[in-house]
Amino acid sequence: MTRINQVRNLLQERNLDGILLYKPENRRYISNFTGSAGYVIITKDRAIFVTDFRYTEQATAQCQGFEIIENSIPNGITDVLNDLGINKLGVEEDYVTYGQYQDFSKKLPNVEFVSLEGFITKMRSVKTQEELSYIAKAAEITDEAFQHILKYIKPGMRELDVALELEFFMKKKGASGLSFESIVASGKRSSLPHGKASDKVIDKDDMITLDFGCIYNGYCSDMTRSFFMGKATDKQKEIYNTVLEAQETSLKAVKPGVKGIELDKIARDIITEKGYGQNFGHGLGHGVGIEVHELPHVNVRGTVPMEPGMVITIEPGVYIPDFGGVRIEDLVIVTEDGYQVLSKSTKELIELNYNN
Ligand code: GLY
Ligand code: MN
Ligand code: MN
């Protein structure tokens, strides 16, 4: 069934006259539009894309199956909705701002606004083969970048230099952008779960966490590896092996029907048993797609069973302030009979020889 028809089923089920979408990721998913301004309106018998002069030509080329209406943005949208005579309109409750809601209410006094309750976001959580191929390609570029950076990184470089090289390499390989600003956290900074690359200089014997990903054809990848510039100490090895055991054990439990909360518990129990429960303060993972963080939840909020075609991360970590931290993150597809790991980079403990 086409995505437009899935939306039309919802209209019928929820007794809506139409829906209005403009969160960029949902808009792209439904209409294929990659620009920055536009509104999707779907009613029982019309699929409309409203955009302004800047994007009319692009929308005509990209939004197959939609009538393109050129109007001023955002003011024209209420005129179009008025002309359609809609009474009950589904909207993105997590995206419409209070100001926009006030404006809509004033200009459309007879329209009842109804929450879509994340309908499109839930649709997006199960991927088609085509979407999976884009995510796999983004993951492949990410793996290649990691291989490259292991040869590139040397004591004396700033974390920012490493982040820049990652970005340059991935874009050269076909990525259109980064999934998020790369995390390059070295030495004691590796205890920061989201330690964005800074001007800190990487030292001999630093432990280093790289968490990064790229966008390929609109879809994200996400991977983390921690490694050592020189030899790891016994304590660093113990932490690394604890995180690795938690990561591999929870990964092996991925299959249709399992819930994010159950996967989270598997990893958390292992880390807690080793005495580091307090040092694993975030969820096990998350869904990945057009957004780097999307459904399904892979944490204590993950009460929805996994389905084939979902893409998730499995990324436990242990972070010790004033010491350092380790995280290991793989990107994984839920398949009919289990899982497929897209991140191919080694998870064996890496000790770089900085004298070479
Ligand atoms: N740093 C983003 C993530 O791994 O979820
Ligand atoms: Mn990540
Ligand atoms: Mn992640």
Side-chain angles (χ1 to χ4, degrees):
M1 201 188 330
T2 66
R3 291 173 185 167
I4 293 176
N5 282 341
Q6 280 178 263
V7 169
R8 289 206 167 114
N9 280 353
L10 178 80
L11 296 182
Q12 203 164 10
E13 257 170 48
R14 302 274 308 273
N15 199 23
L16 300 171
D17 299 316
I19 67 165
L20 172 68
L21 301 174
Y22 55 100
K23 177 173 171 169
E25 295 84 2
N26 290 342
R27 177 175 66 204
R28 177 180 183 142
Y29 183 74
I30 296 292
S31 72
N32 202 35
F33 178 72
T34 59
S36 67
Y39 292 77
V40 167
I41 301 167
I42 298 175
T43 66
K44 273 193 271 310
D45 42 22
R46 294 179 72 178
I48 297 171
F49 194 88
V50 187
T51 190
D52 66 20
F53 174 80
R54 292 171 300 162
Y55 284 120
T56 308
E57 185 182 349
Q58 180 178 333
T60 305
Q62 291 184 325
C63 306
Q64 301 296 317
F66 282 82
E67 301 166 46
I68 311 300
I69 295 184
E70 187 179 304
N71 210 320
S72 65
I73 294 284
N75 293 340
I77 189 67
T78 44
D79 299 340
V80 177
L81 288 167
N82 247 331
D83 291 347
L84 288 167
I86 285 173
N87 294 314
K88 208 168 161 191
L89 182 70
V91 294
E92 298 160 298
E93 71 290 342
D94 54 350
Y95 194 69
V96 176
T97 65
Y98 183 61
Q100 287 161 345
Y101 177 68
Q102 279 183 313
D103 189 49
F104 288 153
S105 303
K106 201 163 68 194
K107 293 182 181 149
L108 302 166
N110 301 321
V111 175
E112 181 189 349
F113 296 92
V114 180
S115 163
L116 284 174
E117 294 170 3
F119 180 77
I120 308 293
T121 321
K122 283 177 207 156
M123 261 174 90
R124 281 174 35 205
S125 68
V126 178
K127 274 74 181 173
T128 61
Q129 283 304 322
E130 186 184 346
E131 291 178 289
L132 293 175
S133 74
Y134 300 147
I135 297 172
K137 179 67 185 176
E140 187 186 309
I141 294 171
T142 305
D143 280 326
E144 285 177 339
F146 185 63
Q147 278 303 111
H148 169 71
I149 219 72
L150 287 178
K151 286 181 251 132
Y152 176 87
I153 193 168
K154 294 281 181 291
M157 287 177 182
R158 298 171 313 156
E159 293 171 350
L160 278 167
D161 297 319
V162 174
L164 193 61
E165 184 67 16
L166 281 172
E167 179 170 357
F168 186 79
F169 183 93
M170 293 193 290
K171 286 185 172 170
K172 277 277 189 190
K173 290 280 177 182
S176 63
L178 303 178
S179 302
F180 52 91
E181 236 180 292
S182 300
I183 290 169
V184 182
S186 63
K188 290 178 180 177
R189 283 193 85 242
S190 59
S191 70
L192 303 172
H194 273 189
K196 276 188 205 155
S198 74
D199 58 5
K200 177 189 169 296
V201 170
I202 295 167
D203 281 334
K204 293 175 179 173
D205 301 321
D206 268 355
M207 57 201 297
I208 300 165
T209 292
L210 295 186
D211 180 357
F212 64 104
C214 67
I215 302 173
Y216 183 80
N217 214 347
Y219 286 80
C220 295
S221 63
D222 189 9
M223 181 178 85
T224 308
R225 291 292 184 266
S226 294
F227 57 93
F228 299 87
M229 186 60 81
K231 293 282 177 203
T233 64
D234 287 348
K235 169 120 171 151
Q236 287 170 337
K237 281 185 188 166
E238 188 214 328
I239 293 168
Y240 191 90
N241 289 328
T242 299
V243 173
L244 183 60
E245 189 187 335
Q247 204 274 346
E248 292 194 321
T249 310
S250 51
L251 175 64
K252 285 184 188 135
V254 174
K255 60 178 182 196
V258 75
K259 295 174 180 160
I261 188 173
E262 294 164 348
L263 296 171
D264 185 283
K265 183 171 186 318
I266 292 169
R268 203 164 299 280
D269 284 351
I270 290 169
I271 290 175
T272 303
E273 198 183 312
K274 296 273 164 64
Y276 295 109
Q278 294 301 316
N279 304 95
F280 174 26
H282 59 74
L284 180 65
H286 50 88
V288 177
I290 298 178
E291 287 177 279
V292 71
H293 292 145
E294 58 178 48
L295 292 178
H297 293 298
V298 187
N299 54 29
V300 290
R301 295 167 69 198
T303 53
V304 173
M306 294 291 158
E307 287 180 50
M310 286 180 165
V311 177
I312 60 172
T313 68
I314 299 289
E315 51 174 309
V318 165
Y319 314 91
I320 303 175
D322 207 34
F323 176 80
V326 167
R327 177 166 64 255
I328 302 173
E329 173 179 32
D330 280 338
L331 190 59
V332 183
I333 304 175
V334 182
T335 61
E336 292 288 342
D337 47 10
Y339 64 94
Q340 180 192 344
V341 181
L342 293 176
S343 311
K344 308 282 188 226
S345 298
T346 184
K347 291 185 274 190
E348 277 174 31
L349 188 141
I350 297 170
E351 297 177 310
L352 293 178
N353 182 351
Y354 49 73
N355 296 316
N356 286 340

